[in-house]
Amino acid sequence: MSGGKVTFIGAGPGAADLITLRGARAIGAADIVIWASSLVQAEILEHARPDAITVDSAALPIEGVLPYYEQAAREGLLVARVHSGDPALWGAVQEQLERARALGLETEIVPGVSAFSAVAALAQRELTVPEVAQSVILTRLEGGKTPMPSGESIRSFAAHGTTMAIFLSAARCARLAEELVAGGYEADTPVIVASRATWPDGELVECTIGTMAEQVRARKLWKHTLFLVGPALASSGTRSHLYHPGHFHEHRRADPEARRALRAR
């Protein structure tokens, strides 16, 4: 046989039941399932066939995964490469796609639930509140193991004053707080700190930029931690146009009086 295929599957931030139906089907069809026990719960393997080869990649560099891609290319096998969160965000997927394609493997990506949307759901907050925040910036603190491109910094992003989801920065949370304030946020801007979101031992802490470093240190939330920052996290009393009686679209007419009131705002 020749050919073979690698499907990169976003398995969500941890909880096994946050995987999509498409992702579960891809795992069920795979001859080889590669997953990281440090990032994805073991229950994800319940979707795998009993005869599938399962590989824990938690301790493997890409060189440890490549032999399975090579085997798939030689034998025409299906590989399910299970990633935490969504593969498009800090998933190191691009380099794996290139290696797989060089081997002649077909590739596919199945999106998953990102940690930032999972944390918003756990906190029951909307990140884009009308008249408060209509953008979400996904980033991390510069100066870590992976260099940030020129022009990308917490301070410059903070100047927008909108919602930010900050990954991979808990170990330097005191500096993160300093950069957020230097960029323009007030110290009392609300923050949600989430560690191991959707895992059984996960923690969710509501605080402010001024108190978040203290909270992280006190609870030792150094790993698998995400920060949501911005005024939308404490906003209330606003109303979107989407379900306003004065708003219209192809499926609904606007109430004339409500439409006049809406346009007068």
Side-chain angles (χ1 to χ4, degrees):
M1 290 179 73
S2 61
K5 179 178 179 179
V6 180
T7 301
F8 297 91
I9 301 163
D17 59 354
L18 281 178
I19 193 170
T20 64
L21 293 173
R22 183 180 298 182
R25 285 196 295 265
I27 292 174
D31 302 294
I32 303 173
V33 179
I34 304 173
W35 69 296
S37 61
S38 58
L39 299 171
V40 180
Q41 291 181 19
E43 287 82 357
I44 205 76
L45 298 178
E46 293 175 1
H47 299 292
R49 299 193 329 243
D51 63 334
I53 299 170
T54 58
V55 181
D56 184 356
S57 64
L60 298 179
I62 190 171
E63 287 77 10
V65 173
L66 285 177
Y68 297 100
Y69 293 174
E70 294 166 355
Q71 180 183 356
R74 287 194 310 269
E75 302 176 20
L77 303 179
L78 301 179
V79 177
R81 180 68 167 99
V82 181
H83 280 254
S84 63
D86 183 274
L89 298 173
W90 295 283
V93 168
Q94 193 61 43
E95 60 194 82
Q96 294 185 74
L97 285 168
E98 293 170 5
R99 301 288 188 96
R101 289 166 181 167
L103 292 168
L105 290 162
E106 182 184 350
T107 57
E108 179 184 6
I109 297 178
V110 178
V113 176
S114 175
F116 82 91
S117 55
V119 172
L122 288 170
Q124 298 189 32
R125 298 300 313 187
E126 185 174 356
L127 304 182
T128 53
V129 175
E131 303 178 32
V132 179
Q134 289 292 283
S135 304
V136 181
I137 297 172
L138 312 180
T139 189
R140 65 176 182 80
L141 179 64
E142 63 273 15
K145 295 178 181 178
T146 302
M148 290 284 277
S150 175
E152 293 187 20
S153 70
I154 290 292
R155 185 176 299 198
S156 63
F157 289 142
H160 295 283
T162 189
T163 306
M164 292 180 68
I166 304 169
F167 296 70
L168 307 169
S169 304
R172 295 173 296 137
C173 58
R175 184 187 165 198
L176 173 60
E178 293 172 359
E179 292 298 303
L180 288 168
V181 171
Y185 285 113
E186 298 294 333
D188 62 356
T189 300
V191 176
I192 295 172
V193 183
S195 176
R196 291 175 65 82
T198 78
W199 287 72
D201 60 347
E203 290 192 56
L204 199 71
V205 180
E206 296 188 14
C207 55
T208 66
I209 292 176
T211 61
M212 71 181 194
E214 176 187 344
Q215 291 289 339
V216 169
R217 284 194 297 267
R219 299 168 185 268
K220 300 181 179 179
L221 305 180
W222 308 120
K223 298 177 65 177
H224 310 302
T225 299
L226 172 74
F227 301 88
L228 293 181
V229 181
L233 301 176
S235 182
S236 62
T238 62
R239 181 169 184 177
S240 74
H241 288 195
L242 181 60
Y243 297 111
H244 194 288
H247 178 67
F248 67 92
H249 50 67
E250 61 179 320
H251 300 290
R252 190 179 77 215
R253 292 181 179 273
D255 175 80
E257 184 176 343
R259 180 65 180 166
R260 285 192 293 271
L262 185 61
R263 296 182 68 178
R265 290 176 60 183

